[in-house]
Structure formats: structure tokens, C-alpha cells
């Protein structure tokens, strides 16, 4: 499969007041300076990329040094793109010689520890999606006049062989001339290097000679160190021509089937034998033709299928299964790719129509059935390599729609006989579902992006699996020698790829260590035994030393973590998922990798509790939301600010009067006049509708309907949440219905319907509605408060919980004093007094007496989550909890707020 290593090297300066929030391209201060490498007062003194590859395992260190020559503080941004499959392992920020090292921590613990910085808005540098295969790491630092700042980022990854080569692509874009710009790659491969090349997209003609490249035996070297003159777009220009891709490609010799490397207690085996004959394949294409595929998507799908038909070999067998509301097979069985059959297939691809809904389960099962039947009734096809490739752009809507049941049905039908490859077209697919289904059926999932090259993406994926060489490949090692082992069985091995197996040996396991490799090929089976070449290993150790030892061990850890996370994706129970997470977390912390289970934080000197998030690795579904979040700036301690800025008080915003309801359902009433908050819960049955806000003067009304857990049943702990909100203005006729699935304007009147994936801003009847994709909805009334609705996604395989909503109000002072409802009655100031603080029944919490509305209530100190600003993690709000459905705090009793309908 394809692997590109891509970096975008970018250092930006942003002068002036950081509080202005202007983050992006540099703004000039007066006249633009043109002293060569100094732009807007910022000089990038050096920018270097050092890449060391040992046995396919790559270690990258990116460093940059800059100085602020300006007279005021400026923001400097360090911007790097890395592959999504890479793990950051170190970061060091240095300002005027003071180091700020990054530390890898359990993500849950890390988020709790730097909550203080989050409240101040000082988190920075979280990794975000960038393009199709990349993640962008950037960190912004406010640097005082005359100060120097240094950045150093380290990340690691196992290079994967794609179409016969390993490829490293470095995205170069410094945006100004750099005094010392350098890219250096040092490659060491025990098998010896067979080819190495390096090119750029931004150099031409004689300038390509600036790149030094060489290889001999086991070593390869690439060096790029352009002078200032060579960086300039013209002799008198200050713009840099370094803007594009720097690409390195290489491969290794494959004179033997065996490449088994053992160092101390760890081993790695690389398997990509040459001179194997291509196997005939039996391939079934299962294609979604539902209505949502209309337009460009189905056009690009046809283009891709036509190109694939041109590539199918004459001995191959194939068929098409189409699924919309119904399932249709092109032929009743597999047919050979003869000239006549291919011509008929092209006509079919060009003419099939679309058909309504999405019966994904039926389509997949029909494709699997045809493949299984062909193997049963036609002995000639049994030795071929079977493959199912499925393309869809959405979730199932008819037939079997339960995703867990579909996975079970498909797994039972495939029975481990062949791989299933799922291609998700566009952004509306449940990619986690597709990925889990592929992984548990020996395949992979790939997202196809809705862009002009979608047809090429589809054809490109097919090319990766078009030439199977072996099936049922297995690597066996002496059980007494192995303590830990990565995946050692691969369903199919394809031309141009490579299988990597790694493991940990027992004490003394090295003495009798060997590897037996078996696989089924075209015409004959592969059976071979690989032994460790002790003499060669000793020679390699002398040449590479400790680096070789470290790389083999870290390669094993990297691959193990990656495969544990894949297993977690397809886990069938919460216990299994937790066990896999615990193992992956343990290794991530031990080897200091930023994975989906860990975060990297910087601790400010002198305050161990003051921590800033600088690197996080979100999962597939989190990427889109992180892409929308603004970058924030690290504000350094006072000693690193210009003298005239030190101690200068910053203007304070007026106290926020925020009320909200979220969770089970937890009501939060923040009282800025008291610098405190009051909380309470309402316990009612699913289906009940409650009045939350009702303002007779402005006409604004908000009601909410409760939902329960999936298995509400007779359990002792019955959780309820708001699963439906009705927001309206009775004076203007505006109505909005919000559920975890859709946002509907004027429900019941065939109004517009949007999903949470849409990015929309609409204005109707004096109301502005903004959908922030996947997580948040903002409703701003011209004559009233702004309401924020937060969508909480729950793990889809969770046996109990389901998606729900949270509701928050800001600027509630704009509502009239007559506003009522469970939330509305607290929109304006109310007084309370807390005294007689004492130990509670829970030793971790204190009780107290609250005097409110001339009533004495027993309250308990606790905290609730406010997800208004951060829908993912929220922030803790300390509050006094009022028991018994807020009896004594709210007007009347809670049942007074039950109403018959949402509108």
C-alpha cells in the first residue's frame, strides 16, 4: 500500500498585539524590510530536516532557529506536515536558552492537568488534518523583542513499500529566505540499496545539481543545502523559490527470500521476494448506486471502472454487484475477462442507472455469495486469488441497517477466505464502520475524496491490489523463542508491496531462532526457512551501532501499537476495546509516541501544574472538527516578554452569565456576581417534554424532549438526556427542530433539512443559525440571547448510550425579566448564601447549607462539564449541587415544567 512521508516546513511571524486575534500571513510593520533573510523583523537563521532511515524505520528531526529583531513582541509560528500514520516522539521549544520540553502523557490525564491553561485559552499546536494523508503540527509562540526561539520536532514511522519503492516527500515552504536551509537523508539498509533518486518540484535545469545524492552497498545519502542566492526567485528578489515537494525514492536488493534481522531481544523480518508469478484473480466489484451517488460521484465511478476494465488481465474473472434499494448482479456468476465480455462490461458500466435507497448489507452478501459459489462449482477458480471491493458513499438505509449485525453477517459469509476492501466515497460515510468491517475480513478501508481526481483515486487503489503474488502467507517461529509477536498471517501479498513482521524474543530465544514461511502461489506453494546470519548481524551492528539496535526495537513497538489500535477498531465488546487500549497505551508511554491514546504537553518552568497541549493525535472522526478550531498562541512567562509589556494588565471581559443543560441532564447556572455556580439534575422518563426557556416579551421559547439509553429497561441507573430541542420565536413564526441526526427549519412545513456534516450559516426572521460541522450549532436572536447546541457523539457500538444534545445560553441578559422555564428563570441575577460547610457523606465532597428564596437547602460541592467552548473535552465547572430535582431552588416543582409537545 502507498506511503508518502510529507513535511511542510513553514515559519511565520505575526507582529503586533496578539490579543487582536489576527493569525495567518504576516502583517507588515510600516515598510517591509528587505535585508535578505529579515522579514517583518523576523530572521529565520536556520531550518533543517535530518532523516535517518534504518531498515525501513525512519526517524526525523526537524529544527528551526529564529530571532525577533523587532522592537515589539511578535508571534512566530512553527508549521510542519507529517503523515497521519507517523507518531511524534519529541518536541523541544527553546526561548533565550530556556528549554520547554514536551512530555508524553496519558491523554486523559494530560487533558485534566493542563485544564488551567485551557481556561486561559493558551492551548496550542494540536495536530490537525491537512489534505488526504497528512496531519499538520503547528505551534505559535509569542516572542519578545530581541529574543531567540528554537523549535525541534521528532517523529517516527515505518516506511511502507508502494509499487516497488519507498518514498519520502518533504513539503518545503519557508516563505522567506533562510540563512541556512538544509535537508539531509541518511539511509542504511542491511539488504543493500538497489536504487536511490531525489528530485524537487521547484528546481529546474542546472539547479537540480544542487541536490547531492549517492548510494553504495548498504548506505545511501541525500543532501540539499541551497545558498541564499540559490533560494531567490531572481537575483534582486527577496522571495524564496523553495515552494513545493522534495522527493526521495529508493528500494533495496532482493537477492534472497529471507531478510531476518535480530538484535538483542528484538527481531524484524522483511518479506518481498522477487520473480514470483502473478496469480489469476477472481474479483467482485460491489457498487453503491443509491440516489446520493447522483451527479459527479457516479460519473467518476464509471470512469474508474472503465479504466479498471482496461487493466484486468485476460485470465482474470470478475463480476459487478449493484445495490440501491434493491440488489442487482450483472451476471449470475463470475465470468472470464475475454475481449467480448470486457466489451459487454463496458457497455453495462456506461448505462446502469441509480436506484433510491442503500441496501449495503444485501449488496455485500450477494457479492460474497457469488464469489463463494464460483469456488464451489468451478474447480478451475479455486486456486485463484479472490477479492471483494465495495464502494459506497453513505450508510445503509434499507434492508439490514444495524451496523453491528451487518458486520456479523459479512464476517460469517466471508469466513476468512478472502479480503474485503471497502472504499468510502465522500464525507458522509461511517468510515469507522467500513474500516472495522475491512479489518475483520483481512482487508483495509480507504476514503475516496470528492475531488476532481476521484476516478484516479479509485483506479489507484485497484492498482495496489491488481497483482496478487501469494495468498495465505504465514510466518512461524519457535514458540519457546517468542515473547511478543506482531501479525504473522497475511491473506494476500501483492506485487510491489512488502510484509513486515516483528517480535520480542525470550531470554536465550536467539540461539534457536528461525522463521518458517509458507504461502500459496500461482501453480506452486512457497515453503522456505529463514535463519539468522549471525556474522552479517555482527557486521551490521559494527557499522550502525546502537542506532540499529534502537530502530529494530522501536520498529516492533510502532508496529505493535498500530496493530493494537486496528484491533481496537474492530473490537466486539467494551472490555475487549479497553484491554487493547490499555496495552497500546502502555507501549505508547514507554516508547514516548503520540498516539490516539496519548498527548504531548509542555510544562512551564516553576509551575508543574501549568501545562500546555502541543501535540495530540485525534482519530478519523475528530479530524474534521479540529480542522475548524482556531490556532491559539503560547504566551510565555513574563521574563520572555518585552520590558514595556511586563506586568501590563489586560482588559477583562464583562462577567459571563451562562446557563446550560447537558448530560444526564445536568443543569448548570453560573452566577458571576458570586463567582460561583449552582447545579441540579432533573430525573424523568424518556419521551417527556420540558419547558426550558419561555420569554413572553420577546416570543422566544425553547423546549426539550428527553431520550433514554438504548437499553433503558429495568436497570437501576436510568440515564436520560435531551435528544430533541424545539427553538422558536412565536412573534416571527421562526421554528427550528434539532436532533442528533438533523437540523430542520420549520418542521411540519417541508422546511429545509440539514445534517451535522453541513457547514451552513442562514438568516431567517431575525435569527442567524450557524452549523459548525459535526459538533456545534449556534442560534443568535436579534432581540435575545445566543443559544449554543452541542452534539455529543457516542461510540456507535456502545451497548448502552446513544447520541444526545447539550444546550447553553449566552447574553441571556438580553431576555426580558419575565423569562421563565427550567433555565430561563435563572437568566437574571438571583441571590444565595452558602454557609456551614462541613464534611459530606462522600469523603471527597463537602456539604453545606444554602439560603436561597428564603429556604434552607442542603447542597453538595461538586463539578459538572461545560462543553460550550470545547465540545470534545469540555471544562470543569465547580458548583453547589442542589438535590431532589432542584426542589426549593426552582419555582414550584419540576413537574410544573412538563408540557405536552415540543412545539
Amino acid at each position: 500500500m502507498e506511503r508518502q512521508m510529507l513535511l511542510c516546513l513553514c515559519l511565520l511571524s505575526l507582529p503586533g498585539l496578539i490579543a487582536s486575534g489576527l493569525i495567518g500571513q504576516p502583517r507588515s510593520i510600516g515598510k517591509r524590510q528587505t535585508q535578505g533573510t529579515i522579514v517583518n523583523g523576523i530572521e529565520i537563521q536556520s531550518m533543517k530536516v535530518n532523516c535517518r532511515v534504518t531498515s525501513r524505520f525512519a526517524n526525523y528531526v526537524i529544527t528551526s532557529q529564529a530571532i525577533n529583531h523587532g522592537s515589539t513582541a511578535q508571534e512566530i509560528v512553527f508549521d510542519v506536515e507529517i503523515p497521519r500514520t507517523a507518531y511524534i516522539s519529541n518536541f523541544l521549544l527553546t526561548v533565550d536558552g530556556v528549554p520547554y520540553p514536551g512530555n508524553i502523557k496519558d491523554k486523559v490525564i494530560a487533558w485534566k492537568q493542563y485544564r488551567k491553561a485551557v481556561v486561559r485559552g493558551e492551548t496550542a499546536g494540536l495536530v490537525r488534518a491537512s489534505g488526504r494523508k497528512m496531519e499538520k503540527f503547528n505551534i505559535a509562540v509569542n516572542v519578545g523583542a530581541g529574543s531567540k526561539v528554537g523549535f525541534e520536532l521528532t517523529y517516527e514511522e515505518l516506511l511502507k513499500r508502494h509499487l516497488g519503492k519507498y518514498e519520502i516527500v518533504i513539503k518545503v515552504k519557508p516563505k522567506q529566505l533562510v540563512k541556512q536551509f538544509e535537508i539531509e537523508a541518511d539511509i542504511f539498509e542491511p539488504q543493500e540499496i538497489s536504487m536511490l533518486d531525489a528530485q524537487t518540484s521547484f528546481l529546474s535545469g542546472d539547479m537540480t545539481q544542487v541536490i547531492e545524492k549517492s548510494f553504495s552497498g548498504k548506505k545511501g545519502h541525500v543532501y540539499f543545502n541551497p545558498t541564499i542566492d540559490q533560494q531567490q526567485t531572481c537575483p534582486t528578489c527577496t522571495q524564496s523559490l523553495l515552494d513545493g515537494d522534495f522527493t526521495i525514492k529508493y528500494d533495496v536488493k532482493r537477492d534472497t527470500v529471507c531478510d531476518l534481522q535480530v538484535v538483542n531481544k528484538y527481531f524484524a523480518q522483511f518479506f518481498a521476494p522477487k520473480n514470483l508469478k502473478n496469480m489469476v484473480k477472481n474479483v467482485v466489484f460491489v457498487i453503491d448506486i443509491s440516489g446520493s451517488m447522483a451527479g459527479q460521484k457516479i460519473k467518476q465511478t464509471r470512469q474508474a471502472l472503465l479504466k479498471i476494465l482496461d487493466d484486468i488481465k485476460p485470465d482474470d474473472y470478475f463480476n459487478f454487484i449493484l445495490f440501491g434499494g434493491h440488489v442487482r448482479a450483472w451476471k449470475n456468476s463470475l465470468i472470464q475477462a475475454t475481449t467480448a465480455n470486457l466489451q459487454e462490461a463496458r457497455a453495462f458500466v456506461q448505462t446502469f442507472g441509480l436506484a433510491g435507497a442503500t441496501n449495503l448489507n444485501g449488496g455485500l452478501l450477494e457479492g460474497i455469495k457469488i464469489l463463494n459459489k464460483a469456488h464451489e462449482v468451478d474447480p478451475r477458480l479455486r486456486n485463484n486469488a479472490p477479492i471483494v471491493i465495495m464502494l459506497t458513499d453513505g450508510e445503509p438505509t434499507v434492508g439490514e441497517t444495524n451496523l453491528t449485525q451487518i458486520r456479523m453477517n459479512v464476517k460469517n459469509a466471508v469466513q476468512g477466505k478472502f479480503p474485503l476492501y471497502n472504499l468510502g466515497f465522500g464525507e458522509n460515510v461511517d468510515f469507522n464502520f467500513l474500516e472495522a468491517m475491512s479489518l475483520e475480513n483481512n482487508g483495509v478501508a480507504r476514503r475516496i475524496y470528492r475531488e476532481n481526481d476521484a476516478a484516479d483515486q479509485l483506479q489507484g487503489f485497484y492498482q495496489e491490489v491488481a497483482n496478487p503474488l501469494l495468498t495465505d502467507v504465514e510466518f512461524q517461529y519457535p514458540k519457546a523463542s517468542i515473547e511478543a509477536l506482531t501479525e504473522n498471517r497475511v491473506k494476500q501479498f501483492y506485487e510491489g508491496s512488502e510484509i513486515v513482521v516483528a517480535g520480542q524474543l525470550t531470554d536465550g530465544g536467539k540461539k534457536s531462532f528461525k522463521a518458517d514461511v509458507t504461502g500459496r502461489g500461482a501453480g506452486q506453494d512457497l515453503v522456505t526457512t529463514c535463519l539468522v546470519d549471525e556474522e552479517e548481524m555482527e557486521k551490521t551492528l559494527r557499522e550502525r551501532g546502537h542506532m540499529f539496535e534502537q530502530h529494530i526495537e522501536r520498529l516492533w513497538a510502532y508496529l505493535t501499537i498500530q496493530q493494537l489500535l486496528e484491533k481496537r477498531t474492530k473490537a466486539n465488546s467494551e472490555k475487549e476495546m479497553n484491554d487493547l487500549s490499555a496495552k497500546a497505551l502502555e507501549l505508547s508511554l514507554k516508547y514516548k509516541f503520540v498516539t490516539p491514546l496519548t498527548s504531548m504537553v509542555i510544562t512551564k518552568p516553576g509551575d508543574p501544574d501549568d501545562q500546555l497541549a502541543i501535540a495530540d493525535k485525534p482519530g478519523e472522526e475528530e479530524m474534521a472538527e479540529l480542522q475548524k478550531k482556531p490556532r491559539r498562541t503560547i504566551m510565555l512567562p513574563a521574563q520572555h516578554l518585552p520590558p514595556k509589556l511586563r506586568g501590563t494588565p489586560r482588559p477583562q471581559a464583562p462577567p459571563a452569565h451562562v446557563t446550560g443543560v447537558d448530560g444526564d441532564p445536568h443543569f448548570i447556572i453560573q452566577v458571576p456576581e458570586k463567582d460561583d455556580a449552582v447545579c441540579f439534575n432533573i430525573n424523568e422518563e424518556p419521551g417527556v417534554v420540558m419547558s426550558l426557556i419561555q420569554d413572553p416579551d420577546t416570543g422566544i421559547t425553547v423546549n426539550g424532549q428527553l431520550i433514554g439509553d438504548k437499553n433503558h429497561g429495568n436497570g437501576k441507573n436510568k440515564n436520560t438526556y435531551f435528544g430533541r430541542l424545539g427553538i422558536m420565536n412565536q412573534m416571527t413564526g421562526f421554528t427550528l427542530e434539532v436532533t442528533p441526526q438533523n437540523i430542520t427549519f420549520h418542521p411540519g412545513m417541508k422546511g429545509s433539512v440539514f445534517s451535522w456534516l453541513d457547514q451552513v450559516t442562514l438568516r431567517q426572521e431575525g435569527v442567524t443559525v450557524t452549523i459548525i460541522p459535526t459538533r456545534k450549532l449556534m442560534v443568535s436572536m436579534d432581540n435575545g440571547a445566543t443559544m449554543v447546541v452541542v452534539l455529543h457523539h457516542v461510540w456507535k457500538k456502545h451497548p448502552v448510550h446513544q447520541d444526545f444534545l447539550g444546550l447553553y445560553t449566552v447574553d441571556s441578559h438580553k431576555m426580558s425579566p419575565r423569562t421563565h422555564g427550567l433555565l430561563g428563570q435563572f437568566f437574571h441575577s438571583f441571590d444565595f448564601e452558602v454557609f456551614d460547610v462541613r464534611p459530606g457523606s462522600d469523603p471527597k465532597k463537602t456539604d453545606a447549607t444554602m439560603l436561597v428564596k428564603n429556604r434552607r437547602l442542603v447542597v453538595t460541592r461538586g463539578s459538572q462539564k461545560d462543553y460550550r467552548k470545547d465540545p470534545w473535552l469540555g471544562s470543569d465547572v465547580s458548583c453547589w449541587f442542589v438535590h431532589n430535582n432542584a426542589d426549593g431552588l426552582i419555582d414550584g416543582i419540576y413537574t410544573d415544567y412538563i408540557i405536552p409537545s415540543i412545539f
Side-chain angles (χ1 to χ4, degrees):
M1 301 298 172
E2 180 178 3
R3 170 51 47 229
Q4 288 189 335
M5 310 265 315
L6 176 60
L7 306 176
C8 177
L9 307 181
C10 177
L11 207 61
L12 304 178
S13 65
L14 288 165
L17 294 177
I18 301 305
S20 68
L22 296 174
I23 297 177
Q25 293 294 326
R27 292 171 53 198
S28 62
I29 313 178
K31 184 178 179 180
R32 177 183 174 90
Q33 300 183 51
T34 59
Q35 298 104 313
T37 59
I38 301 177
V39 177
N40 294 334
I42 296 296
E43 179 184 15
I44 304 176
Q45 296 180 311
S46 68
M47 184 176 288
K48 300 180 181 180
V49 182
N50 184 275
C51 169
R52 291 182 179 271
V53 181
T54 303
S55 296
R56 287 66 147 184
F57 196 69
N59 175 282
Y60 283 78
V61 180
I62 307 166
T63 58
S64 187
Q65 305 289 331
I67 183 169
N68 179 10
H69 291 290
S71 58
T72 61
Q74 299 197 60
E75 181 183 86
I76 297 180
V77 182
F78 178 65
D79 217 341
V80 179
E81 291 189 29
I82 66 176
R84 289 189 182 182
T85 51
Y87 293 152
I88 292 172
S89 55
N90 190 37
F91 180 78
L92 178 66
L93 169 68
T94 305
V95 181
D96 289 339
V98 179
Y100 297 81
N103 296 299
I104 309 292
K105 297 195 174 186
D106 180 334
K107 181 180 286 189
V108 175
I109 296 174
W111 279 100
K112 291 179 180 178
Q113 288 179 330
Y114 62 70
R115 188 174 294 119
K116 186 166 74 174
V118 175
V119 171
R120 288 198 310 270
E122 292 185 358
T123 56
L126 296 186
V127 176
R128 304 163 184 233
S130 178
R132 299 172 182 175
K133 301 176 182 179
M134 311 308 297
E135 292 172 348
K136 176 172 288 194
F137 172 89
N138 68 22
I139 185 165
V141 181
N142 190 34
V143 181
S147 291
K148 295 181 179 179
V149 61
F151 304 93
E152 181 180 301
L153 177 72
T154 304
Y155 74 89
E156 299 166 69
E157 184 186 32
L158 175 64
L159 296 178
K160 291 186 178 180
R161 190 166 180 252
H162 171 63
L163 300 180
K165 293 181 178 65
Y166 307 99
E167 187 173 78
I168 300 165
V169 180
I170 301 172
K171 185 94 172 168
V172 178
K173 198 169 186 176
K175 296 192 177 182
Q176 70 183 75
L177 302 178
V178 182
K179 184 178 291 186
Q180 186 177 4
F181 185 92
E182 181 179 292
I183 296 175
E184 185 173 19
D186 175 37
I187 303 170
F188 182 88
E189 291 289 352
Q191 280 180 278
E192 296 193 352
I193 297 172
S194 62
M195 67 80 59
L196 183 147
D197 192 20
Q199 297 179 346
T200 75
S201 63
F202 49 84
L203 297 179
S204 60
D206 294 340
M207 286 294 292
T208 57
Q209 298 177 8
V210 177
I211 305 173
E212 300 176 18
K213 50 194 175 185
S214 63
F215 69 95
S216 177
K218 300 174 183 176
K219 297 180 180 180
H221 186 255
V222 175
Y223 188 65
F224 178 56
N225 179 217
T227 64
I228 293 290
D229 292 342
Q230 291 168 336
Q231 295 177 43
Q232 292 173 298
T233 54
C234 71
T236 59
C237 297
T238 58
Q239 288 81 22
S240 174
L241 61 76
L242 304 184
D243 185 358
D245 295 342
F246 187 94
T247 305
I248 301 171
K249 295 182 180 181
Y250 81 93
D251 198 16
V252 301
K253 294 181 179 179
R254 304 185 188 276
D255 298 330
T256 174
V257 174
C258 297
D259 181 15
L260 184 58
Q261 302 175 19
V262 181
V263 184
N264 297 334
K265 289 189 64 177
Y266 296 90
F267 79 89
Q269 181 167 6
F270 304 91
F271 180 82
K274 64 179 183 179
N275 300 324
L276 292 177
K277 184 180 178 182
N278 285 341
M279 296 183 69
V280 176
K281 62 181 178 293
N282 304 328
V283 58
V284 175
F285 300 95
V286 182
I287 307 298
D288 184 347
I289 58 166
S290 61
S292 58
M293 287 285 290
Q296 190 71 1
K297 283 193 280 189
I298 196 63
K299 178 182 177 181
Q300 292 172 323
T301 300
R302 293 187 202 276
Q303 291 172 351
L305 291 176
L306 290 173
K307 290 180 181 179
I308 289 170
L309 287 172
D310 290 339
D311 293 338
I312 288 182
K313 296 179 175 60
D315 291 334
D316 290 342
Y317 288 76
F318 71 105
N319 201 349
F320 294 106
I321 307 297
L322 309 179
F323 67 91
H326 301 283
V327 176
R328 174 189 174 192
W330 174 50
K331 299 291 183 182
N332 293 327
S333 62
L334 295 180
I335 65 168
Q336 190 172 351
T338 63
T339 301
N341 287 337
L342 287 173
Q343 190 61 32
E344 184 181 351
R346 292 186 185 98
F348 174 75
V349 166
Q350 291 173 318
T351 57
F352 65 69
L354 302 183
T358 308
N359 188 357
L360 184 148
N361 179 74
L364 266 178
L365 292 184
E366 181 64 21
I368 296 166
K369 176 183 174 183
I370 284 180
L371 202 54
N372 283 330
K373 183 179 178 182
H375 291 178
E376 292 172 4
V377 301
D378 192 340
R380 298 173 302 163
L381 304 184
R382 292 174 188 171
N383 292 325
N384 297 351
I387 303 171
V388 174
I389 300 175
M390 191 269 287
L391 171 70
T392 183
D393 75 332
E395 298 187 18
T397 58
V398 295
E400 180 59 70
T401 59
N402 183 286
L403 302 186
T404 302
Q405 187 60 50
I406 292 174
R407 283 176 54 186
M408 188 181 302
N409 293 345
V410 170
K411 188 175 182 180
N412 289 338
V414 173
Q415 293 184 342
K417 297 176 183 177
F418 44 81
L420 166 64
Y421 297 106
N422 288 323
L423 307 181
F425 204 144
E427 297 75 36
N428 294 331
V429 294
D430 186 335
F431 191 80
N432 284 350
F433 161 66
L434 297 181
E435 184 177 38
M437 186 161 56
S438 287
L439 288 173
E440 60 193 1
N441 290 287
N442 302 299
V444 296
R446 181 76 55 84
R447 189 184 289 278
I448 304 299
Y449 292 85
R450 291 181 58 184
E451 296 178 13
N452 292 333
D453 68 339
D456 293 334
Q457 294 176 56
L458 290 166
Q459 186 193 14
F461 176 83
Y462 173 77
Q463 287 176 343
E464 295 179 33
V465 299
N467 298 305
L469 301 177
L470 295 169
T471 63
D472 299 312
V473 184
E474 184 172 359
F475 301 81
Q476 295 181 331
Y477 307 94
K479 292 183 179 179
S481 300
I482 297 297
E483 188 171 307
L485 184 66
T486 60
E487 290 294 323
N488 64 322
R489 293 183 178 88
V490 176
K491 197 63 190 175
Q492 292 189 4
F493 168 64
Y494 300 99
E495 184 178 24
S497 66
E498 182 176 63
I499 300 172
V500 182
V501 182
Q504 185 177 8
L505 302 176
T506 58
D507 293 334
K510 185 176 176 181
K511 294 179 181 179
S512 57
F513 188 66
K514 64 174 184 175
D516 293 321
V517 185
T518 60
R520 188 169 59 85
Q524 62 180 6
D525 293 342
L526 172 72
V527 180
T528 188
T529 296
C530 296
L531 302 175
V532 181
D533 189 332
E534 296 280 358
E535 183 178 344
E536 184 61 31
M537 285 296 99
E538 290 295 330
K539 183 179 178 182
T540 300
L541 277 170
R542 288 195 299 270
E543 291 183 71
R544 203 62 166 175
H546 176 67
M547 183 175 292
F548 183 62
E549 294 180 296
Q550 186 183 52
H551 273 60
I552 295 298
E553 180 177 352
R554 293 185 71 81
L555 183 157
W556 165 79
Y558 170 93
L559 201 54
T560 300
I561 293 169
Q562 195 176 62
Q563 292 177 358
L564 285 170
L565 294 175
E566 288 179 350
K567 290 178 181 178
R568 188 180 71 151
T569 298
K570 60 181 181 179
N572 293 313
S573 69
E574 192 167 5
K575 181 182 183 305
E576 182 184 3
M577 187 180 73
N578 290 338
D579 290 344
L580 292 166
S581 296
K583 293 176 182 177
L585 175 61
E586 182 181 6
L587 284 175
S588 300
L589 293 173
K590 178 178 179 181
Y591 290 94
K592 300 187 183 303
F593 286 138
V594 177
T595 70
L597 301 173
T598 55
S599 291
M600 180 177 283
V601 299
I602 278 183
T603 303
K604 288 186 178 179
D607 189 352
D609 294 326
D610 195 353
Q611 300 185 333
L612 306 174
I614 64 162
D616 193 17
K617 193 174 184 67
E620 171 78 24
E621 291 185 347
E622 297 172 287
M623 278 297 187
E625 176 64 13
L626 282 176
Q627 193 78 326
K628 307 291 187 288
K629 290 189 176 182
R631 187 192 69 234
R632 296 169 182 163
T633 305
I634 288 185
M635 304 298 294
L636 297 173
Q639 66 263 27
H640 294 306
L641 292 176
K644 63 181 180 180
L645 295 182
R646 295 177 189 171
T648 303
R650 298 185 181 185
Q652 298 294 319
H657 194 173
V658 179
T659 62
V661 56
D662 214 326
D664 178 26
H666 307 302
F667 289 77
I668 307 172
I669 315 300
Q670 297 187 28
V671 187
E673 296 83 0
K674 292 285 187 180
D675 192 24
D676 211 341
V678 178
C679 306
F680 61 91
N681 291 354
I682 296 295
N683 299 311
E684 253 301 340
E685 293 295 317
V688 168
V689 180
M690 312 202 80
S691 172
L692 301 177
I693 302 168
Q694 186 174 23
D695 185 351
D697 293 350
T698 64
I700 296 173
T701 300
V702 181
N703 301 320
Q705 186 172 30
L706 296 172
I707 59 172
D709 288 330
K710 294 176 182 176
N711 301 313
H712 197 67
N714 298 317
K716 293 182 180 179
N717 298 316
K718 295 183 178 180
N719 297 312
T720 54
Y721 319 86
F722 281 109
R724 185 180 173 215
L725 295 172
I727 303 172
M728 68 201 88
N729 188 322
Q730 295 175 338
M731 293 186 177
T732 65
F734 171 82
T735 55
L736 180 72
E737 181 182 29
V738 186
T739 69
Q741 292 75 40
N742 296 308
I743 298 110
T744 306
F745 289 83
H746 301 293
M749 300 172 61
K750 297 184 178 180
S752 301
V753 180
F754 298 92
S755 80
W756 284 91
L757 294 172
D758 294 318
Q759 185 170 4
V760 176
T761 298
L762 293 176
R763 182 170 175 80
Q764 294 183 2
E765 293 105 2
V767 181
T768 301
V769 179
T770 303
I771 303 173
I772 302 173
T774 76
R775 282 294 173 177
K776 195 185 293 184
L777 169 75
M778 300 184 69
V779 183
S780 300
M781 308 275 188
D782 285 354
N783 59 344
T786 294
M787 278 155 265
V788 179
V789 180
V790 175
L791 171 64
H792 292 279
H793 272 309
V794 177
W795 178 45
K796 291 192 175 183
K797 295 180 289 183
H798 199 289
V800 178
H801 303 311
Q802 58 180 322
D803 295 351
F804 63 94
L805 304 171
L807 172 70
Y808 299 87
T809 61
V810 292
D811 299 328
S812 55
H813 61 278
K814 294 182 179 179
M815 306 288 277
S816 78
R818 293 203 298 154
T819 304
H820 212 261
L822 280 171
L823 282 177
Q825 63 187 288
F826 299 105
F827 279 179
H828 297 278
S829 299
F830 71 100
D831 193 26
F832 66 89
E833 182 181 353
V834 176
F835 56 91
D836 188 23
V837 179
R838 55 195 182 272
S841 56
D842 184 341
K844 297 181 181 179
K845 298 179 180 179
T846 57
D847 284 351
T849 300
M850 175 181 287
L851 181 61
V852 58
K853 298 181 180 179
N854 295 320
R855 301 174 184 172
R856 290 174 179 262
L857 308 177
V858 175
V859 293
T860 301
R861 194 62 174 173
S863 68
Q864 300 290 359
K865 285 283 190 182
D866 180 348
Y867 293 95
R868 176 172 45 96
K869 294 183 179 179
D870 186 346
W872 293 95
L873 299 168
S875 58
D876 282 338
V877 176
S878 296
C879 60
W880 290 106
F881 183 79
V882 180
H883 303 273
N884 302 320
N885 291 305
D887 187 26
L889 174 67
I890 60 175
D891 296 335
I893 58 176
Y894 80 94
T895 54
D896 296 339
Y897 300 86
I898 296 177
I899 56 177
S901 64
I902 199 82
F903 293 112

